[in-house]
Amino acid sequence: MASRPQTVRRPPTAGVNLSLNNPTVRAILYQIVVVGAVGLVVWYLVSNTIENLETRRIATGFGFLDREAGLPIGESVIPYSPADTYARALFVGLLNTLRVALIGIVLATLLGTIVGIARLSSNWLVAQTARVYVEVLRNLPLLLQLLFWWTLFRDLFPGPRQAITPLPGVFLSNRGVQLPAILWQPGYGYVLGAFVIGVIAAVAVSRWAKRRQASTGQQFPVLWVSLALILGVPGITFMAIGAPFALEQPELRGFNFVGGVTLTPEFAALLVGLVTYTAAFIAEIVRSGILAVNQGQWEAALALGLRRGQVLRLVVLPQALRVIVPPTTSQYLNLTKNSSLAVAIGYPDIVSVANTMLNQTGQAIEGIAIIMAVYLTISLSISAFMNWYNRHIALVER
Amino acid sequence: MVVPQPVKSVSPHPMIEMRHVHKWFGEFHVLRDINLTVNQGQKVVVCGPSGSGKSTMIRCINRLEEHQDGQIFVDGIELTNDVKNIEAIRREVGMVFQQFNLFPHLTVLENLTLAPIWVRKVPKKEAEETAMYFLERVHIPEQAHKYPGQLSGGQQQRVAIARSLCMRPKIMLFDEPTSALDPEMIKEVLDVMIELAQDGMTMIVVTHEMGFARTVADSIVFMDRGEIVESAPPQEFFAHPKTDRARLFLSQILGH
Amino acid sequence: MSDTQSHYTSPTFAGPKAGQPGRSFADIPPVKWARANLFNSWLNTALTLLLIYFIVKYAIDLVSWGLINAVWEVPGNDTRACRDIRGIGACWALINEKFRFIMFATYPYEEHWRPALVIVIFLALYVVSAMRRFWNRKLIAIWLLGLVAIGVLMWGGVFGLRYVGQERWGGLPITLILSTFGIAIAFPLSILLALGRRSDMPAIRVMCVTYIELIRGVPLVSLLFMASVMFPLFLPEGVTVDKLLRAQVAIIMFAAAYLAEVVRGGLQAIPKGQYEAADALGLSYWQKTVFIILPQALRLVIPPLVNTFIGLFKDTSLVLIIGIFDLLNAAKTSVNEPAWRGFGVEAYIFVAIFYFVFCFGMSKYSQDLEVELSRHRKR
């Protein structure tokens, strides 16, 4: 049947057609026009700017970064004094941004998950309380909420002498939140080491359990054993070295507290504001993620004899997480971007520091470029993670 | 009281027994005094107009719905609120749904091995061998590594049947297994079910496929408004329905 | 998750015998409801009691702070009565005293009826736009008319109205102007950006993607700083642009990027068949886009558009950071006077009511609309 020799025929090569009616030519022309127009506008703005910078004698370039900043920063995770350079001041700001963002992300995830599950509770009161929480927090500007918390901490909380003490050692006053600090003891190095060993052992046990289940079908209470290893090994070590433990209590000296850990009113307001606001959005994401898993999935899994916990772990959560993770990541990004509102309540984040810097040096372009570069880096790394995640779990759904 | 007669059954060992079962959805009385005995190896087809309580009745058997009065025994174990009891019964009773309900995030093979591994505690390799055996039985071993979303409706439903069989159930429940399928796919699913019936599986099938009922059923149970109105062997039920309601239903379903 | 519990032996009181004849205490509807929805398990009973305790406790605190112990009026600027009850009772006298300032900020006092009328016009425009009856060409005419009236009222200088410069505008009208104009001007831009992002022409696609991702990657605050300190450098010598307008430009740039992603979602949801059918009819790209694709795509994205508008409405409050007197900044400034210092919480609660009523109303509207539109589509 296929014995007839076939002549190989190639597709004709397109002749060169430079007519304006050729779609390819048109597209190229069109692009040249648009790019040219945009380029022209940009060139106009840039040339104006250069001219303006010259007439106003504003310096350009990032040379100022090595100069002494002379700007005091209220709180810092690394040693800093106004005598340090602008570069170091900016780094302090960046660390402050990352500090509030990281703690905020962890707490917002916890709170958001709890509220989201509460929204689905069969208990009417619980569900309604969660609903009111979400509706109120989502429908008010974040900046308003931040100012509200800040004012509340600063104006309505009593002075240090009348500080509110919800738990022994914890003081709420208009100077911020004072917490007792755990003092480092010589033996804690061993406890830390034991913790690492516990984690490694837990990973090893879960791998072993997985292999054993694959080969023999025997199951093993991995979760409980892992927890016991992770908490128990350092716990026993702690006991073995004689359980050394000392708290540094905050103490009132004169008009302020000494010792312990201090959260400034600015940090506390920013953290509370960001966490409660973002949690409202995460709650809605969690809720819709769980609702997105079809009721039939529960029924089918239960009908197969799986226990409720197994259904949740093996069937429902893997599906719900695929719906939940992408929008939650963009909420993390939003939280990080929103931490820039710190500038309104005087928490020294990167925007705050850069803003003060650009006012001092007059180099607006460089200052704003730094802010944007920092946030673009964070945004791009998070989207890179998202793309990786999406590829990783590319879902083949019906 | 209407009890289906064991016509061709191998032995009169009752696998399912429902005694005076009642159920309400709020104020709505969905099941009224249901009495039904299904013996080992028996095939019962449940039919009736929509909303007559057919699905609810079979969903009570593996406790996807809770009955509120009366007793249900599965293989001699009474269904109570005892979690261990329910788990034991669900291991013995397989169920196939109208909407397939395959797990979209798992491959076909993983769908089939999930419950044997976690519920029956079977080694993975053995579970996979069983799974491949049943995939061959439903004629789609070549689809083992695909995801449910890549299969046609008929193939998905056959995977769902195989998934239940992997648990080696003693009883199979089918809740309108062909209602969500395109006409050309119905036959491939019914063929698998007929083969299963010929192997002697105890089956309760809610369906409108009267051809299937004629071929396979030992007994036809006709339900209307939450009651079992009639129960008879197929020849008798189709030829001489005793009640007006059954006659009306048959004329509607076979009329054209 | 909760629904599934009923399938698995959760001890519900709707269990055995419920719904059967024989009425008892437990069958009285509210009691039955409470048992099924509040006390259906030990955990739920505990949660209910705990929540009731906290709600009652805080409700009592709130009522005694906000109503019973509150000070509603003080003579002149003498706030001693307020200071005496700091933390025990609210000082609503602040609102009494500063109401006009919070609403209109530094707008000339005797001309306050003008911004007040502007607020009314804005609200009327929103209400009219929300009614599907007006979703046609007439709506554009109504909006143009409304915006001209707003401009005339705010600026004045014609019809015997006194001229009021933008630097004196403030309060709620600023919030409404920034958000409404922001969305109205950003919307057409966003359509172009979204079409550009889906274009076959690589240069245009790259430009649009870069713009959208750049703007979405940075916080609005940085754009506002840019507007406040960098825009003046962009313009030729001698040309100055008012700060409010610069902030408005930043908000438009910001909104356009976010709206473009919303519009793109709509474009992606249009089935390929629609494009092919339009091509088969011999329509050009713009004919196809304007007559076939956009009408369908935009209809699909109305609910997310409303949500973006809510977000933008909230985000306009950020202009406070560059010193523009919007509603929030007016509230913040109202407590700057030494006599009123320390009563910020009252001022913020007051403006929170405005923001909440507006945003909550819009989001309810968007939810209803979503339901209605999806029902229409199914038919």
Side-chain angles (χ1 to χ4, degrees), chain B residues 130-154:
Chain B
T130 315
M132 287 314 294
Y133 169 75
F134 281 111
L135 278 180
E136 266 159 40
R137 289 285 309 274
V138 300
H139 317 299
I140 37 174
E142 71 283 0
Q143 311 287 4
H145 296 286
K146 288 195 182 160
Y147 284 91
Q150 297 165 295
L151 307 186
S152 74

PDB file of all heavy atoms in Angstrom, chain B residues 130-154:
ATOM      1  N   THR B 130      -2.645  -5.572  43.177  1.00  0.00           N
ATOM      2  CA  THR B 130      -4.104  -5.697  43.228  1.00  0.00           C
ATOM      3  C   THR B 130      -4.741  -4.658  42.318  1.00  0.00           C
ATOM      4  O   THR B 130      -5.681  -4.945  41.567  1.00  0.00           O
ATOM      5  CB  THR B 130      -4.605  -5.459  44.670  1.00  0.00           C
ATOM      6  OG1 THR B 130      -3.764  -6.187  45.546  1.00  0.00           O
ATOM      7  CG2 THR B 130      -6.036  -5.877  44.832  1.00  0.00           C
ATOM      8  N   ALA B 131      -4.231  -3.437  42.400  1.00  0.00           N
ATOM      9  CA  ALA B 131      -4.814  -2.354  41.614  1.00  0.00           C
ATOM     10  C   ALA B 131      -4.722  -2.674  40.134  1.00  0.00           C
ATOM     11  O   ALA B 131      -5.692  -2.512  39.388  1.00  0.00           O
ATOM     12  CB  ALA B 131      -4.093  -1.043  41.925  1.00  0.00           C
ATOM     13  N   MET B 132      -3.552  -3.158  39.699  1.00  0.00           N
ATOM     14  CA  MET B 132      -3.403  -3.473  38.276  1.00  0.00           C
ATOM     15  C   MET B 132      -4.343  -4.607  37.868  1.00  0.00           C
ATOM     16  O   MET B 132      -4.919  -4.578  36.786  1.00  0.00           O
ATOM     17  CB  MET B 132      -1.953  -3.860  37.961  1.00  0.00           C
ATOM     18  CG  MET B 132      -0.971  -2.707  37.959  1.00  0.00           C
ATOM     19  SD  MET B 132      -1.530  -1.240  37.071  1.00  0.00           S
ATOM     20  CE  MET B 132      -1.582  -1.868  35.384  1.00  0.00           C
ATOM     21  N   TYR B 133      -4.533  -5.570  38.778  1.00  0.00           N
ATOM     22  CA  TYR B 133      -5.451  -6.669  38.486  1.00  0.00           C
ATOM     23  C   TYR B 133      -6.850  -6.129  38.212  1.00  0.00           C
ATOM     24  O   TYR B 133      -7.492  -6.472  37.226  1.00  0.00           O
ATOM     25  CB  TYR B 133      -5.457  -7.661  39.658  1.00  0.00           C
ATOM     26  CG  TYR B 133      -6.566  -8.673  39.567  1.00  0.00           C
ATOM     27  CD1 TYR B 133      -6.484  -9.730  38.659  1.00  0.00           C
ATOM     28  CD2 TYR B 133      -7.708  -8.560  40.365  1.00  0.00           C
ATOM     29  CE1 TYR B 133      -7.515 -10.645  38.556  1.00  0.00           C
ATOM     30  CE2 TYR B 133      -8.741  -9.464  40.266  1.00  0.00           C
ATOM     31  CZ  TYR B 133      -8.650 -10.514  39.364  1.00  0.00           C
ATOM     32  OH  TYR B 133      -9.656 -11.414  39.249  1.00  0.00           O
ATOM     33  N   PHE B 134      -7.306  -5.239  39.097  1.00  0.00           N
ATOM     34  CA  PHE B 134      -8.676  -4.742  38.924  1.00  0.00           C
ATOM     35  C   PHE B 134      -8.776  -3.767  37.753  1.00  0.00           C
ATOM     36  O   PHE B 134      -9.826  -3.683  37.110  1.00  0.00           O
ATOM     37  CB  PHE B 134      -9.201  -4.108  40.216  1.00  0.00           C
ATOM     38  CG  PHE B 134      -9.640  -5.150  41.200  1.00  0.00           C
ATOM     39  CD1 PHE B 134      -8.935  -5.369  42.377  1.00  0.00           C
ATOM     40  CD2 PHE B 134     -10.752  -5.941  40.935  1.00  0.00           C
ATOM     41  CE1 PHE B 134      -9.327  -6.343  43.275  1.00  0.00           C
ATOM     42  CE2 PHE B 134     -11.153  -6.919  41.834  1.00  0.00           C
ATOM     43  CZ  PHE B 134     -10.433  -7.125  43.009  1.00  0.00           C
ATOM     44  N   LEU B 135      -7.689  -3.033  37.470  1.00  0.00           N
ATOM     45  CA  LEU B 135      -7.733  -2.177  36.281  1.00  0.00           C
ATOM     46  C   LEU B 135      -7.893  -3.026  35.026  1.00  0.00           C
ATOM     47  O   LEU B 135      -8.567  -2.638  34.076  1.00  0.00           O
ATOM     48  CB  LEU B 135      -6.461  -1.324  36.181  1.00  0.00           C
ATOM     49  CG  LEU B 135      -6.438  -0.062  37.032  1.00  0.00           C
ATOM     50  CD1 LEU B 135      -5.128   0.678  36.836  1.00  0.00           C
ATOM     51  CD2 LEU B 135      -7.611   0.853  36.697  1.00  0.00           C
ATOM     52  N   GLU B 136      -7.274  -4.212  35.046  1.00  0.00           N
ATOM     53  CA  GLU B 136      -7.464  -5.105  33.901  1.00  0.00           C
ATOM     54  C   GLU B 136      -8.899  -5.610  33.843  1.00  0.00           C
ATOM     55  O   GLU B 136      -9.488  -5.718  32.782  1.00  0.00           O
ATOM     56  CB  GLU B 136      -6.481  -6.275  33.973  1.00  0.00           C
ATOM     57  CG  GLU B 136      -5.215  -5.996  33.191  1.00  0.00           C
ATOM     58  CD  GLU B 136      -4.053  -6.863  33.629  1.00  0.00           C
ATOM     59  OE1 GLU B 136      -4.281  -8.062  33.889  1.00  0.00           O
ATOM     60  OE2 GLU B 136      -2.934  -6.310  33.736  1.00  0.00           O
ATOM     61  N   ARG B 137      -9.430  -5.890  35.034  1.00  0.00           N
ATOM     62  CA  ARG B 137     -10.825  -6.348  35.068  1.00  0.00           C
ATOM     63  C   ARG B 137     -11.782  -5.313  34.475  1.00  0.00           C
ATOM     64  O   ARG B 137     -12.791  -5.654  33.892  1.00  0.00           O
ATOM     65  CB  ARG B 137     -11.253  -6.651  36.510  1.00  0.00           C
ATOM     66  CG  ARG B 137     -10.621  -7.883  37.120  1.00  0.00           C
ATOM     67  CD  ARG B 137     -11.248  -9.158  36.575  1.00  0.00           C
ATOM     68  NE  ARG B 137     -12.708  -9.159  36.665  1.00  0.00           N
ATOM     69  CZ  ARG B 137     -13.385  -9.544  37.729  1.00  0.00           C
ATOM     70  NH1 ARG B 137     -12.759  -9.980  38.793  1.00  0.00           N
ATOM     71  NH2 ARG B 137     -14.702  -9.501  37.725  1.00  0.00           N
ATOM     72  N   VAL B 138     -11.476  -4.019  34.692  1.00  0.00           N
ATOM     73  CA  VAL B 138     -12.360  -2.988  34.116  1.00  0.00           C
ATOM     74  C   VAL B 138     -11.810  -2.497  32.774  1.00  0.00           C
ATOM     75  O   VAL B 138     -12.259  -1.478  32.252  1.00  0.00           O
ATOM     76  CB  VAL B 138     -12.600  -1.811  35.082  1.00  0.00           C
ATOM     77  CG1 VAL B 138     -13.244  -2.287  36.370  1.00  0.00           C
ATOM     78  CG2 VAL B 138     -11.311  -1.065  35.389  1.00  0.00           C
ATOM     79  N   HIS B 139     -10.833  -3.213  32.224  1.00  0.00           N
ATOM     80  CA  HIS B 139     -10.342  -3.034  30.848  1.00  0.00           C
ATOM     81  C   HIS B 139      -9.600  -1.725  30.607  1.00  0.00           C
ATOM     82  O   HIS B 139      -9.629  -1.209  29.497  1.00  0.00           O
ATOM     83  CB  HIS B 139     -11.510  -3.141  29.834  1.00  0.00           C
ATOM     84  CG  HIS B 139     -12.448  -4.263  30.126  1.00  0.00           C
ATOM     85  ND1 HIS B 139     -12.047  -5.581  30.146  1.00  0.00           N
ATOM     86  CD2 HIS B 139     -13.767  -4.269  30.439  1.00  0.00           C
ATOM     87  CE1 HIS B 139     -13.073  -6.345  30.459  1.00  0.00           C
ATOM     88  NE2 HIS B 139     -14.128  -5.572  30.640  1.00  0.00           N
ATOM     89  N   ILE B 140      -8.956  -1.133  31.623  1.00  0.00           N
ATOM     90  CA  ILE B 140      -8.163   0.066  31.334  1.00  0.00           C
ATOM     91  C   ILE B 140      -6.805   0.039  32.054  1.00  0.00           C
ATOM     92  O   ILE B 140      -6.426   1.021  32.684  1.00  0.00           O
ATOM     93  CB  ILE B 140      -8.904   1.380  31.698  1.00  0.00           C
ATOM     94  CG1 ILE B 140      -9.711   1.190  32.974  1.00  0.00           C
ATOM     95  CG2 ILE B 140      -9.761   1.881  30.576  1.00  0.00           C
ATOM     96  CD1 ILE B 140     -10.354   2.456  33.469  1.00  0.00           C
ATOM     97  N   PRO B 141      -6.045  -1.069  31.963  1.00  0.00           N
ATOM     98  CA  PRO B 141      -4.751  -1.077  32.670  1.00  0.00           C
ATOM     99  C   PRO B 141      -3.796  -0.023  32.123  1.00  0.00           C
ATOM    100  O   PRO B 141      -2.917   0.444  32.837  1.00  0.00           O
ATOM    101  CB  PRO B 141      -4.216  -2.492  32.400  1.00  0.00           C
ATOM    102  CG  PRO B 141      -4.917  -2.940  31.176  1.00  0.00           C
ATOM    103  CD  PRO B 141      -6.268  -2.303  31.205  1.00  0.00           C
ATOM    104  N   GLU B 142      -3.998   0.384  30.859  1.00  0.00           N
ATOM    105  CA  GLU B 142      -3.041   1.319  30.248  1.00  0.00           C
ATOM    106  C   GLU B 142      -3.178   2.734  30.813  1.00  0.00           C
ATOM    107  O   GLU B 142      -2.333   3.590  30.585  1.00  0.00           O
ATOM    108  CB  GLU B 142      -3.210   1.321  28.726  1.00  0.00           C
ATOM    109  CG  GLU B 142      -4.478   1.962  28.188  1.00  0.00           C
ATOM    110  CD  GLU B 142      -5.716   1.076  28.326  1.00  0.00           C
ATOM    111  OE1 GLU B 142      -5.601  -0.046  28.849  1.00  0.00           O
ATOM    112  OE2 GLU B 142      -6.811   1.533  27.932  1.00  0.00           O
ATOM    113  N   GLN B 143      -4.241   2.997  31.584  1.00  0.00           N
ATOM    114  CA  GLN B 143      -4.445   4.357  32.089  1.00  0.00           C
ATOM    115  C   GLN B 143      -3.868   4.540  33.495  1.00  0.00           C
ATOM    116  O   GLN B 143      -4.087   5.584  34.114  1.00  0.00           O
ATOM    117  CB  GLN B 143      -5.955   4.686  32.156  1.00  0.00           C
ATOM    118  CG  GLN B 143      -6.728   4.358  30.905  1.00  0.00           C
ATOM    119  CD  GLN B 143      -6.433   5.329  29.782  1.00  0.00           C
ATOM    120  OE1 GLN B 143      -5.583   6.207  29.928  1.00  0.00           O
ATOM    121  NE2 GLN B 143      -7.116   5.157  28.663  1.00  0.00           N
ATOM    122  N   ALA B 144      -3.160   3.545  34.008  1.00  0.00           N
ATOM    123  CA  ALA B 144      -2.801   3.539  35.433  1.00  0.00           C
ATOM    124  C   ALA B 144      -2.071   4.799  35.881  1.00  0.00           C
ATOM    125  O   ALA B 144      -2.259   5.259  37.001  1.00  0.00           O
ATOM    126  CB  ALA B 144      -1.938   2.316  35.742  1.00  0.00           C
ATOM    127  N   HIS B 145      -1.231   5.366  35.015  1.00  0.00           N
ATOM    128  CA  HIS B 145      -0.406   6.482  35.483  1.00  0.00           C
ATOM    129  C   HIS B 145      -0.931   7.837  35.058  1.00  0.00           C
ATOM    130  O   HIS B 145      -0.251   8.845  35.210  1.00  0.00           O
ATOM    131  CB  HIS B 145       1.036   6.268  35.036  1.00  0.00           C
ATOM    132  CG  HIS B 145       1.635   5.044  35.668  1.00  0.00           C
ATOM    133  ND1 HIS B 145       2.009   5.003  36.996  1.00  0.00           N
ATOM    134  CD2 HIS B 145       1.832   3.796  35.177  1.00  0.00           C
ATOM    135  CE1 HIS B 145       2.447   3.796  37.292  1.00  0.00           C
ATOM    136  NE2 HIS B 145       2.337   3.038  36.205  1.00  0.00           N
ATOM    137  N   LYS B 146      -2.162   7.835  34.531  1.00  0.00           N
ATOM    138  CA  LYS B 146      -2.757   9.130  34.187  1.00  0.00           C
ATOM    139  C   LYS B 146      -3.510   9.688  35.383  1.00  0.00           C
ATOM    140  O   LYS B 146      -3.788   8.990  36.348  1.00  0.00           O
ATOM    141  CB  LYS B 146      -3.719   8.942  33.012  1.00  0.00           C
ATOM    142  CG  LYS B 146      -3.007   8.676  31.709  1.00  0.00           C
ATOM    143  CD  LYS B 146      -3.960   8.874  30.561  1.00  0.00           C
ATOM    144  CE  LYS B 146      -3.271   8.550  29.247  1.00  0.00           C
ATOM    145  NZ  LYS B 146      -4.252   8.265  28.207  1.00  0.00           N
ATOM    146  N   TYR B 147      -3.855  10.968  35.277  1.00  0.00           N
ATOM    147  CA  TYR B 147      -4.711  11.588  36.304  1.00  0.00           C
ATOM    148  C   TYR B 147      -6.164  11.488  35.863  1.00  0.00           C
ATOM    149  O   TYR B 147      -6.451  11.446  34.665  1.00  0.00           O
ATOM    150  CB  TYR B 147      -4.323  13.057  36.496  1.00  0.00           C
ATOM    151  CG  TYR B 147      -3.055  13.217  37.295  1.00  0.00           C
ATOM    152  CD1 TYR B 147      -1.818  13.268  36.683  1.00  0.00           C
ATOM    153  CD2 TYR B 147      -3.118  13.287  38.685  1.00  0.00           C
ATOM    154  CE1 TYR B 147      -0.658  13.402  37.429  1.00  0.00           C
ATOM    155  CE2 TYR B 147      -1.959  13.417  39.435  1.00  0.00           C
ATOM    156  CZ  TYR B 147      -0.732  13.474  38.802  1.00  0.00           C
ATOM    157  OH  TYR B 147       0.399  13.595  39.546  1.00  0.00           O
ATOM    158  N   PRO B 148      -7.092  11.461  36.819  1.00  0.00           N
ATOM    159  CA  PRO B 148      -8.498  11.307  36.471  1.00  0.00           C
ATOM    160  C   PRO B 148      -8.959  12.305  35.410  1.00  0.00           C
ATOM    161  O   PRO B 148      -9.736  11.952  34.525  1.00  0.00           O
ATOM    162  CB  PRO B 148      -9.213  11.570  37.792  1.00  0.00           C
ATOM    163  CG  PRO B 148      -8.241  11.170  38.833  1.00  0.00           C
ATOM    164  CD  PRO B 148      -6.891  11.487  38.280  1.00  0.00           C
ATOM    165  N   GLY B 149      -8.440  13.541  35.494  1.00  0.00           N
ATOM    166  CA  GLY B 149      -8.877  14.571  34.552  1.00  0.00           C
ATOM    167  C   GLY B 149      -8.565  14.246  33.102  1.00  0.00           C
ATOM    168  O   GLY B 149      -9.132  14.832  32.197  1.00  0.00           O
ATOM    169  N   GLN B 150      -7.633  13.285  32.891  1.00  0.00           N
ATOM    170  CA  GLN B 150      -7.268  12.971  31.511  1.00  0.00           C
ATOM    171  C   GLN B 150      -8.129  11.843  30.933  1.00  0.00           C
ATOM    172  O   GLN B 150      -7.938  11.461  29.791  1.00  0.00           O
ATOM    173  CB  GLN B 150      -5.793  12.562  31.454  1.00  0.00           C
ATOM    174  CG  GLN B 150      -4.867  13.693  31.869  1.00  0.00           C
ATOM    175  CD  GLN B 150      -3.463  13.207  32.163  1.00  0.00           C
ATOM    176  OE1 GLN B 150      -3.249  12.455  33.111  1.00  0.00           O
ATOM    177  NE2 GLN B 150      -2.508  13.623  31.359  1.00  0.00           N
ATOM    178  N   LEU B 151      -9.053  11.320  31.725  1.00  0.00           N
ATOM    179  CA  LEU B 151      -9.856  10.186  31.266  1.00  0.00           C
ATOM    180  C   LEU B 151     -11.251  10.644  30.868  1.00  0.00           C
ATOM    181  O   LEU B 151     -11.741  11.670  31.302  1.00  0.00           O
ATOM    182  CB  LEU B 151      -9.992   9.135  32.380  1.00  0.00           C
ATOM    183  CG  LEU B 151      -8.708   8.624  33.021  1.00  0.00           C
ATOM    184  CD1 LEU B 151      -9.040   7.495  33.982  1.00  0.00           C
ATOM    185  CD2 LEU B 151      -7.735   8.139  31.960  1.00  0.00           C
ATOM    186  N   SER B 152     -11.914   9.814  30.046  1.00  0.00           N
ATOM    187  CA  SER B 152     -13.305  10.096  29.705  1.00  0.00           C
ATOM    188  C   SER B 152     -14.191   9.718  30.895  1.00  0.00           C
ATOM    189  O   SER B 152     -13.748   9.035  31.823  1.00  0.00           O
ATOM    190  CB  SER B 152     -13.710   9.289  28.486  1.00  0.00           C
ATOM    191  OG  SER B 152     -13.871   7.933  28.856  1.00  0.00           O
ATOM    192  N   GLY B 153     -15.449  10.157  30.835  1.00  0.00           N
ATOM    193  CA  GLY B 153     -16.375   9.861  31.929  1.00  0.00           C
ATOM    194  C   GLY B 153     -16.522   8.372  32.176  1.00  0.00           C
ATOM    195  O   GLY B 153     -16.469   7.904  33.318  1.00  0.00           O
ATOM    196  N   GLY B 154     -16.660   7.597  31.088  1.00  0.00           N
ATOM    197  CA  GLY B 154     -16.838   6.151  31.233  1.00  0.00           C
ATOM    198  C   GLY B 154     -15.606   5.512  31.861  1.00  0.00           C
ATOM    199  O   GLY B 154     -15.718   4.646  32.740  1.00  0.00           O
TER     200      GLY B 154
END
